[in-house]
Amino acid sequence: MFKTLDDLDPEQRVLVRLDLNSPVEDGVAQDNRRFERHAETVRDLADAGHRVALMAHQGRPGDDDFVSLESHADILADHAGVDVEFVDSTFGQTALDAIRDLDAGDVLLLENTRMTDDELPEREPQEHAESEFVRTLAPEFDAYVNDAYSAAHRAHASLVGFPLVLPAYAGRVMVSEYEANSAIATKEFEGNVTMVVGGTKATDVISVMNAIGDKVDTFCLGGIAGELFLRAAGYPVGEDIEGMDLFDDQWESNHETIEALLDERGDQIELAVDLAYEDENDERAESRVDIITEKDRAFLDVGSETVTEYDPIVRDSEAVFVKGALGLFEDERFAVGTVGILEAIADTDCFSVVGGGDTSRAIGMYDLSESDFSHVSIAGGAYIRALTGEPLVAVELLKQE
């Protein structure tokens, strides 16, 4: 497949690409699962005596979360159990001096890659390999390690330029994410395969459903996608109401695909039979879908009866893939759908992948254990592409001899 950290020669000068993109409050990065995951790669490299320089991005120019990586270094150091020095330069003289001063086992985090002009444009790998960014940094290193699976669908300089000019290896996160997220496209399962589909980005999951329908026995729907499918089935939901812009644009873009999926694969698609909303007392209330006459309120979760119907489907599956939450689980009142499905998966010994940063957060929020799932992905867009078997440009470059 591709070379990993275990294939590195001893005491190398190693340039490592991580994905530490995180929520930011008052200019400071907030701890999340990505730091914990990437810490294994950083710790293994430091313990092996390599001289390690790390690259990562945060936000995009013009956005509120486009900040320095200085606070990221402290969080990563806490998780990795090693000192992580920070330098406020990506490939300037200050960065080069700090790289050259590294001793065996030292770890250095360079400044936000997106603060360089060469990083962001989507270009061919060879163009990026010839950029000033890559040409300046590459001679300082013996090897390049890509651990940023969640950004592997991006053709950015730090992801696709360096593998063309340095021996390239996959980090621990890259390996585990690739193997788990590609399973639906690459593995053969003897029993039923179920995919739980939710979240707010219906366009993404609808494209997945269309692409992998032959590999999935049952789709259990909730979230925005679930409402749009109910709308296609003739129920008066899946529409925007005042102050909402979640449904109508996505309906316009996807209704033909949704209608075709219902027509061609209706026996594979399970829709919610009830939906939950906030009543006049700010409490959770539920309504059966078949008695709704018009949408006059926001629906924030699938209902309890829907969870009861989805539960045995999950428990009877050999493999379950989750993409997107079934409701607004951040509010405990509307976590019934998402948590109920996660609990059902956790109670079985099926192969399971929970994908998407938002959905995976529910595991920690509601005291579930990651060890009860085969894999909890930290990827979003890359996970979507992997589910459909679509190549990820940065992964394909790691496979090159």
Side-chain angles (χ1 to χ4, degrees):
M1 187 171 58
F2 35 59
K3 293 180 180 179
T4 71
L5 304 190
D6 300 324
D7 299 307
L8 273 169
D9 290 333
E11 299 183 4
Q12 298 281 286
R13 298 174 303 153
V14 184
L15 180 64
V16 185
R17 178 59 155 94
L18 310 179
D19 184 357
L20 302 179
N21 197 45
S22 306
V24 170
E25 294 182 9
D26 298 324
V28 177
Q30 303 301 296
D31 196 358
N32 66 14
R33 184 175 279 106
R34 285 179 172 169
F35 289 97
E36 178 185 355
R37 293 286 181 81
H38 287 301
E40 181 181 3
T41 293
V42 174
R43 184 169 51 250
D44 286 355
L45 288 168
D47 288 349
H50 299 296
R51 293 167 171 81
V52 183
L54 309 172
M55 297 185 295
H57 72 273
Q58 175 62 57
R60 283 178 176 267
D63 292 347
D64 291 340
D65 63 347
F66 182 60
V67 299
S68 168
L69 298 187
E70 184 172 6
S71 59
H72 297 63
D74 293 334
I75 300 172
L76 184 60
D78 287 342
H79 283 287
V82 299
D83 290 335
V84 179
E85 181 186 351
F86 172 75
V87 59
D88 62 352
S89 173
T90 307
F91 68 102
Q93 192 59 50
T94 305
L96 297 178
D97 290 343
I99 291 166
R100 291 164 186 166
D101 285 342
L102 289 171
D103 291 324
D106 284 352
V107 180
L108 170 71
L109 177 61
L110 304 175
E111 184 57 282
N112 190 342
T113 61
R114 290 184 175 174
M115 291 182 177
T116 72
D117 293 337
D118 288 338
E119 169 71 351
L120 272 179
E122 294 270 350
R123 292 174 177 158
E124 291 298 317
Q126 189 57 51
E127 290 184 71
H128 277 310
E130 295 168 358
S131 66
E132 183 183 7
F133 175 27
V134 174
R135 287 189 291 106
T136 301
L137 270 188
E140 304 297 325
F141 297 95
D142 303 307
Y144 168 78
V145 172
N146 193 343
D147 208 32
Y149 177 87
S150 49
H153 56 304
R154 303 292 188 189
H156 295 162
S158 63
L159 296 158
V160 302
F162 292 100
L164 295 185
V165 297
L166 286 169
Y169 302 80
R172 304 300 188 206
V173 171
M174 178 65 74
V175 172
S176 63
E177 289 275 359
Y178 176 80
E179 291 178 349
N181 297 342
S182 302
I184 200 168
T186 60
K187 280 191 175 183
E188 293 293 333
F189 296 102
E190 294 182 2
N192 291 333
V193 176
T194 296
M195 185 169 184
V196 180
V197 176
T200 59
K201 296 179 181 178
T203 297
D204 287 347
V205 293
I206 290 166
S207 65
V208 169
M209 291 176 65
N210 195 38
I212 63 174
D214 291 337
K215 293 181 173 289
V216 175
D217 297 287
T218 306
F219 293 98
C220 295
L221 270 61
I224 304 301
E227 271 200 63
L228 292 178
F229 272 80
L230 285 169
R231 177 174 176 174
Y235 297 99
V237 297
E239 305 165 353
D240 286 331
I241 56 176
E242 186 176 355
M244 182 183 293
D245 60 357
L246 296 171
F247 294 93
D248 290 341
D249 286 346
Q250 294 195 79
W251 171 260
E252 186 64 29
S253 301
N254 297 289
H255 72 90
E256 292 180 356
T257 303
I258 294 172
E259 291 160 354
L261 282 167
L262 280 176
D263 183 51
E264 298 166 8
R265 300 189 180 276
D267 58 342
Q268 297 171 247
I269 298 172
E270 296 288 333
L271 302 178
V273 296
D274 57 347
L275 297 170
Y277 59 92
E278 183 180 70
D279 67 13
E280 60 274 9
N281 298 315
D282 297 332
E283 300 289 338
R284 178 188 174 100
E286 299 181 353
S287 175
R288 284 191 56 86
V289 171
D290 56 13
I291 67 170
I292 297 172
T293 57
E294 66 173 323
K295 184 172 182 179
D296 57 2
R297 67 193 74 197
F299 296 109
L300 303 174
D301 193 12
V302 298
S304 302
E305 189 175 339
T306 299
V307 178
T308 299
E309 294 201 359
Y310 287 178
D311 183 278
I313 297 172
V314 168
R315 293 179 187 273
D316 192 39
S317 298
E318 185 186 356
V320 180
F321 295 82
V322 179
K323 181 62 182 84
L326 298 185
L328 189 67
F329 68 83
E330 293 88 348
D331 185 329
E332 189 174 359
R333 297 172 299 169
F334 302 106
V336 172
T338 302
V339 175
I341 292 300
L342 291 175
E343 288 177 340
I345 297 170
D347 283 344
T348 73
D349 59 358
C350 69
F351 177 85
S352 57
V353 179
V354 178
D358 286 344
T359 314
S360 62
R361 274 195 301 119
I363 293 172
M365 285 183 63
Y366 293 95
D367 297 324
L368 297 169
S369 174
E370 280 199 27
S371 63
D372 288 330
F373 304 89
S374 303
H375 184 69
V376 178
S377 178
I378 58 175
Y383 178 52
I384 287 288
R385 296 198 183 195
L387 287 174
T388 63
E390 185 176 345
L392 303 174
V393 59
V395 172
E396 294 306 304
L397 287 168
L398 290 179
K399 295 178 182 179
Q400 293 187 0
E401 292 295 334

